[in-house]
Structures are given as structure tokens and as C-alpha cells.
Amino acid sequence: MSNEIEIGRGKRARRAYSLDDIALVPSRRTRDPEDVNVGWQIDAYHVDIPIMAAPMDSVMSPETAIAFGKLGGLGVLDLDGLWTRYEDPEPLLEEISHLGEDESIARLQQIYSEPIKPSLITARLAQLRQAGVVVAGKLSPQRTQKYWRAVVD
């Protein structure tokens, strides 16, 4: 059976599946959870469950990344985001959550115009390290050359 489908005159594509298309059903044989290991390794770093959280200010604070790591996943902090621009971005995140569509874009542009502070990059990553979880952060390609030293420090 081919995964290709015709999508137009002379054009073919491969069929893709989403989670809604797949069903996991029990089989006659069951596995003891103690016998199953879903852990994975990235270089020298082991993660207990294969879940990596998205590096978005709206969902991943340093505290959330730590909690995620302690549960066995990998929380990735956005090093281009608010947590490296402001000492305490919580009030700004709260404000953003209540803005209407018309005012949100201008306010977001204003908030994100604050420069990234290399000392906050280092402090946020150190906070994760001190908590004993795998440390992961995301920098955009445009900013990697400028801030790599703060990440390494």
C-alpha cells in the first residue's frame, strides 16, 4: 500500500497522520510498566520521558522548566524572551493576557523592545542547573553569535 495520494493533475503527495488518526489499543500481551523505559538521551543528557516543552514565554518560565524537568521531561527556556529582558516579567505576562486584539500588538512590540540582558541569560540557566534538572535554552540564530558567551557562562 502506497502512502502517496493524488492531489491534482500530475501531482502526488504522501499521506500524513495526526494524533486523531491513530488509536492505541491494548494487545493480548501486557507489559509491566517496570519493564518499559521511554527515556532518551541527547548527547550526555538523559531525560526520563520523551517530552520537550516549547520555549515560549507564555508557557515556560524558569520555575515551569524546573517543574517539567523534575517530572522527567525537558523544559526549554526562551533566551530571546521576557525572562531574559526583565527581572520579573510576571506583571507583564498578566497584563498581556488581558489585552484586546487591537491593543495587544503595539503593547507586545513595546515590551519586547527591551534589550536582552546577558546577565539574566546566565542567571536563568544557573537557576535551572541549581535545581538539578537538564538545562536547555533557545536562542534565535540571529542572536546566537551575540549571546553565546552568556549561555556558556
Side-chain angles (χ1 to χ4, degrees):
M1 181 171 132
S2 173
N3 280 342
E4 287 192 359
I5 57 173
E6 188 169 331
I7 60 171
R9 183 187 279 168
K11 296 181 183 176
R12 301 188 68 73
R14 290 179 55 193
R15 172 96 164 106
Y17 298 94
S18 71
L19 290 176
D20 292 336
D21 298 324
I22 299 170
L24 299 176
V25 295
S27 69
R28 286 181 281 156
R29 287 184 236 154
T30 59
R31 304 286 184 258
D32 187 333
E34 300 298 321
D35 295 336
V36 177
N37 179 2
V38 295
W40 54 297
Q41 192 97 9
I42 300 175
D43 195 29
Y45 305 101
H46 179 79
V47 180
D48 290 332
I49 55 174
I51 299 176
M52 182 181 291
M56 301 182 314
D57 285 334
S58 59
V59 295
M60 196 54 51
S61 69
E63 292 80 15
T64 308
I66 290 168
F68 207 82
K70 288 185 176 183
L71 291 171
L74 180 60
V76 184
L77 198 60
D78 182 6
L79 303 179
D80 296 326
L82 298 181
W83 292 98
T84 57
R85 296 171 192 262
Y86 297 92
E87 193 67 44
D88 180 15
E90 292 281 352
L92 295 170
L93 291 166
E94 179 67 23
E95 175 191 344
I96 292 167
S97 71
H98 297 294
L99 293 177
E101 189 176 333
D102 294 337
E103 54 199 355
S104 63
I105 293 174
R107 183 62 178 133
L108 283 167
Q109 288 172 339
Q110 183 184 33
I111 289 170
Y112 278 92
S113 68
E114 178 73 18
I116 295 170
K117 297 171 180 64
S119 61
L120 282 177
I121 292 175
T122 304
R124 301 299 187 206
L125 294 175
Q127 182 181 354
L128 273 61
R129 182 170 287 109
Q130 289 167 358
V133 298
V134 175
V135 177
K138 184 257 345 157
L139 272 175
S140 63
Q142 305 89 311
R143 294 194 174 108
T144 300
Q145 190 64 36
K146 184 174 181 178
Y147 295 113
W148 73 269
R149 175 53 64 191
V151 172
V152 172
D153 288 346

